PDB file of all heavy atoms in Angstrom:
ATOM      1  N   LEU A  64      14.421   7.237   1.948  1.00  0.00           N
ATOM      2  CA  LEU A  64      14.329   5.761   2.106  1.00  0.00           C
ATOM      3  C   LEU A  64      15.559   5.100   2.732  1.00  0.00           C
ATOM      4  O   LEU A  64      15.385   3.920   3.133  1.00  0.00           O
ATOM      5  CB  LEU A  64      14.063   5.130   0.742  1.00  0.00           C
ATOM      6  CG  LEU A  64      12.750   5.631   0.046  1.00  0.00           C
ATOM      7  CD1 LEU A  64      12.606   5.021  -1.331  1.00  0.00           C
ATOM      8  CD2 LEU A  64      11.497   5.275   0.907  1.00  0.00           C
ATOM      9  N   LEU A  65      16.671   5.664   2.662  1.00  0.00           N
ATOM     10  CA  LEU A  65      17.929   4.947   3.145  1.00  0.00           C
ATOM     11  C   LEU A  65      18.063   5.152   4.692  1.00  0.00           C
ATOM     12  O   LEU A  65      17.713   6.194   5.228  1.00  0.00           O
ATOM     13  CB  LEU A  65      19.150   5.488   2.441  1.00  0.00           C
ATOM     14  CG  LEU A  65      19.264   5.266   0.962  1.00  0.00           C
ATOM     15  CD1 LEU A  65      20.619   5.821   0.507  1.00  0.00           C
ATOM     16  CD2 LEU A  65      19.139   3.835   0.614  1.00  0.00           C
ATOM     17  N   ASP A  66      18.654   4.164   5.325  1.00  0.00           N
ATOM     18  CA  ASP A  66      19.153   4.328   6.664  1.00  0.00           C
ATOM     19  C   ASP A  66      20.236   3.290   6.931  1.00  0.00           C
ATOM     20  O   ASP A  66      20.755   2.732   6.007  1.00  0.00           O
ATOM     21  CB  ASP A  66      18.044   4.232   7.702  1.00  0.00           C
ATOM     22  CG  ASP A  66      17.284   2.933   7.670  1.00  0.00           C
ATOM     23  OD1 ASP A  66      17.848   1.961   7.117  1.00  0.00           O
ATOM     24  OD2 ASP A  66      16.149   2.824   8.166  1.00  0.00           O
ATOM     25  N   GLN A  67      20.556   3.068   8.176  1.00  0.00           N
ATOM     26  CA  GLN A  67      21.629   2.158   8.532  1.00  0.00           C
ATOM     27  C   GLN A  67      21.375   0.714   8.072  1.00  0.00           C
ATOM     28  O   GLN A  67      22.311  -0.035   8.058  1.00  0.00           O
ATOM     29  CB  GLN A  67      21.844   2.211  10.097  1.00  0.00           C
ATOM     30  CG  GLN A  67      22.314   3.552  10.649  1.00  0.00           C
ATOM     31  CD  GLN A  67      21.147   4.416  11.109  1.00  0.00           C
ATOM     32  OE1 GLN A  67      20.098   4.463  10.445  1.00  0.00           O
ATOM     33  NE2 GLN A  67      21.308   5.095  12.182  1.00  0.00           N
ATOM     34  N   ASP A  68      20.204   0.405   7.774  1.00  0.00           N
ATOM     35  CA  ASP A  68      19.870  -0.954   7.410  1.00  0.00           C
ATOM     36  C   ASP A  68      20.039  -1.241   5.878  1.00  0.00           C
ATOM     37  O   ASP A  68      19.835  -2.295   5.439  1.00  0.00           O
ATOM     38  CB  ASP A  68      18.395  -1.296   7.767  1.00  0.00           C
ATOM     39  CG  ASP A  68      18.196  -1.280   9.298  1.00  0.00           C
ATOM     40  OD1 ASP A  68      19.150  -1.516  10.005  1.00  0.00           O
ATOM     41  OD2 ASP A  68      17.050  -1.042   9.660  1.00  0.00           O
ATOM     42  N   THR A  69      20.394  -0.169   5.147  1.00  0.00           N
ATOM     43  CA  THR A  69      20.361  -0.302   3.675  1.00  0.00           C
ATOM     44  C   THR A  69      21.753  -0.222   3.077  1.00  0.00           C
ATOM     45  O   THR A  69      22.596   0.540   3.616  1.00  0.00           O
ATOM     46  CB  THR A  69      19.399   0.721   3.022  1.00  0.00           C
ATOM     47  OG1 THR A  69      19.780   2.014   3.556  1.00  0.00           O
ATOM     48  CG2 THR A  69      17.995   0.442   3.338  1.00  0.00           C
ATOM     49  N   ARG A  70      22.001  -0.920   2.022  1.00  0.00           N
ATOM     50  CA  ARG A  70      23.219  -0.834   1.296  1.00  0.00           C
ATOM     51  C   ARG A  70      23.015  -0.184  -0.060  1.00  0.00           C
ATOM     52  O   ARG A  70      22.055  -0.514  -0.762  1.00  0.00           O
ATOM     53  CB  ARG A  70      23.779  -2.273   1.102  1.00  0.00           C
ATOM     54  CG  ARG A  70      24.224  -2.955   2.353  1.00  0.00           C
ATOM     55  CD  ARG A  70      24.228  -4.446   2.207  1.00  0.00           C
ATOM     56  NE  ARG A  70      22.917  -4.944   1.908  1.00  0.00           N
ATOM     57  CZ  ARG A  70      22.638  -6.264   1.648  1.00  0.00           C
ATOM     58  NH1 ARG A  70      23.589  -7.147   1.683  1.00  0.00           N
ATOM     59  NH2 ARG A  70      21.397  -6.621   1.367  1.00  0.00           N
ATOM     60  N   LEU A  71      23.878   0.750  -0.359  1.00  0.00           N
ATOM     61  CA  LEU A  71      23.738   1.596  -1.555  1.00  0.00           C
ATOM     62  C   LEU A  71      24.931   1.346  -2.484  1.00  0.00           C
ATOM     63  O   LEU A  71      26.070   1.327  -2.074  1.00  0.00           O
ATOM     64  CB  LEU A  71      23.669   3.071  -1.167  1.00  0.00           C
ATOM     65  CG  LEU A  71      23.696   4.065  -2.321  1.00  0.00           C
ATOM     66  CD1 LEU A  71      22.384   3.992  -3.147  1.00  0.00           C
ATOM     67  CD2 LEU A  71      23.940   5.493  -1.742  1.00  0.00           C
ATOM     68  N   THR A  90      22.164   9.615   5.918  1.00  0.00           N
ATOM     69  CA  THR A  90      21.313   8.420   6.132  1.00  0.00           C
ATOM     70  C   THR A  90      22.014   7.370   6.923  1.00  0.00           C
ATOM     71  O   THR A  90      21.337   6.522   7.522  1.00  0.00           O
ATOM     72  CB  THR A  90      20.919   7.836   4.813  1.00  0.00           C
ATOM     73  OG1 THR A  90      22.083   7.288   4.210  1.00  0.00           O
ATOM     74  CG2 THR A  90      20.313   8.866   3.874  1.00  0.00           C
ATOM     75  N   GLY A  91      23.352   7.300   6.986  1.00  0.00           N
ATOM     76  CA  GLY A  91      24.027   6.254   7.652  1.00  0.00           C
ATOM     77  C   GLY A  91      24.098   4.989   6.832  1.00  0.00           C
ATOM     78  O   GLY A  91      24.414   3.894   7.343  1.00  0.00           O
ATOM     79  N   CYS A  92      23.791   5.027   5.560  1.00  0.00           N
ATOM     80  CA  CYS A  92      23.795   3.839   4.723  1.00  0.00           C
ATOM     81  C   CYS A  92      25.209   3.334   4.505  1.00  0.00           C
ATOM     82  O   CYS A  92      26.168   4.028   4.699  1.00  0.00           O
ATOM     83  CB  CYS A  92      23.120   4.111   3.388  1.00  0.00           C
ATOM     84  SG  CYS A  92      24.063   5.209   2.355  1.00  0.00           S
ATOM     85  N   THR A  93      25.268   2.093   4.088  1.00  0.00           N
ATOM     86  CA  THR A  93      26.627   1.472   3.798  1.00  0.00           C
ATOM     87  C   THR A  93      26.800   1.536   2.261  1.00  0.00           C
ATOM     88  O   THR A  93      25.842   1.129   1.491  1.00  0.00           O
ATOM     89  CB  THR A  93      26.593  -0.020   4.272  1.00  0.00           C
ATOM     90  OG1 THR A  93      26.271  -0.010   5.611  1.00  0.00           O
ATOM     91  CG2 THR A  93      27.969  -0.622   4.042  1.00  0.00           C
ATOM     92  N   LEU A  94      27.958   1.869   1.765  1.00  0.00           N
ATOM     93  CA  LEU A  94      28.239   1.892   0.360  1.00  0.00           C
ATOM     94  C   LEU A  94      28.831   0.489   0.023  1.00  0.00           C
ATOM     95  O   LEU A  94      29.671  -0.015   0.713  1.00  0.00           O
ATOM     96  CB  LEU A  94      29.204   2.965  -0.048  1.00  0.00           C
ATOM     97  CG  LEU A  94      28.725   4.389   0.136  1.00  0.00           C
ATOM     98  CD1 LEU A  94      29.768   5.378  -0.331  1.00  0.00           C
ATOM     99  CD2 LEU A  94      27.419   4.661  -0.563  1.00  0.00           C
ATOM    100  N   ASP A 102      20.854  -2.868  -1.856  1.00  0.00           N
ATOM    101  CA  ASP A 102      19.427  -2.758  -1.726  1.00  0.00           C
ATOM    102  C   ASP A 102      18.960  -1.585  -2.618  1.00  0.00           C
ATOM    103  O   ASP A 102      17.806  -1.651  -3.146  1.00  0.00           O
ATOM    104  CB  ASP A 102      19.050  -2.410  -0.328  1.00  0.00           C
ATOM    105  CG  ASP A 102      19.572  -3.419   0.685  1.00  0.00           C
ATOM    106  OD1 ASP A 102      19.261  -4.619   0.490  1.00  0.00           O
ATOM    107  OD2 ASP A 102      20.233  -3.068   1.699  1.00  0.00           O
ATOM    108  N   PHE A 103      19.813  -0.566  -2.756  1.00  0.00           N
ATOM    109  CA  PHE A 103      19.476   0.569  -3.590  1.00  0.00           C
ATOM    110  C   PHE A 103      20.679   0.821  -4.518  1.00  0.00           C
ATOM    111  O   PHE A 103      21.815   0.606  -4.121  1.00  0.00           O
ATOM    112  CB  PHE A 103      19.210   1.865  -2.780  1.00  0.00           C
ATOM    113  CG  PHE A 103      17.905   1.802  -2.046  1.00  0.00           C
ATOM    114  CD1 PHE A 103      17.671   1.096  -0.913  1.00  0.00           C
ATOM    115  CD2 PHE A 103      16.797   2.445  -2.614  1.00  0.00           C
ATOM    116  CE1 PHE A 103      16.489   1.093  -0.266  1.00  0.00           C
ATOM    117  CE2 PHE A 103      15.533   2.396  -2.004  1.00  0.00           C
ATOM    118  CZ  PHE A 103      15.384   1.748  -0.789  1.00  0.00           C
TER     119      PHE A 103
ATOM    120  N   ARG B  31       9.715   1.363   3.096  1.00  0.00           N
ATOM    121  CA  ARG B  31      10.415   0.521   2.055  1.00  0.00           C
ATOM    122  C   ARG B  31       9.544  -0.769   1.859  1.00  0.00           C
ATOM    123  O   ARG B  31       9.398  -1.192   0.682  1.00  0.00           O
ATOM    124  CB  ARG B  31      11.803   0.160   2.513  1.00  0.00           C
ATOM    125  CG  ARG B  31      12.776   1.301   2.570  1.00  0.00           C
ATOM    126  CD  ARG B  31      14.242   0.821   2.712  1.00  0.00           C
ATOM    127  NE  ARG B  31      14.494   0.158   3.973  1.00  0.00           N
ATOM    128  CZ  ARG B  31      14.983   0.766   5.042  1.00  0.00           C
ATOM    129  NH1 ARG B  31      15.334   1.996   5.037  1.00  0.00           N
ATOM    130  NH2 ARG B  31      15.147   0.035   6.108  1.00  0.00           N
TER     131      ARG B  31
END
Side-chain angles (χ1 to χ4, degrees):
Chain A
L64 298 176
L65 296 183
D66 62 18
Q67 295 91 321
D68 296 333
T69 51
R70 294 158 297 177
L71 172 70
T90 69
C92 69
T93 305
L94 296 182
D102 304 308
F103 286 82
Chain B
R31 290 194 297 264

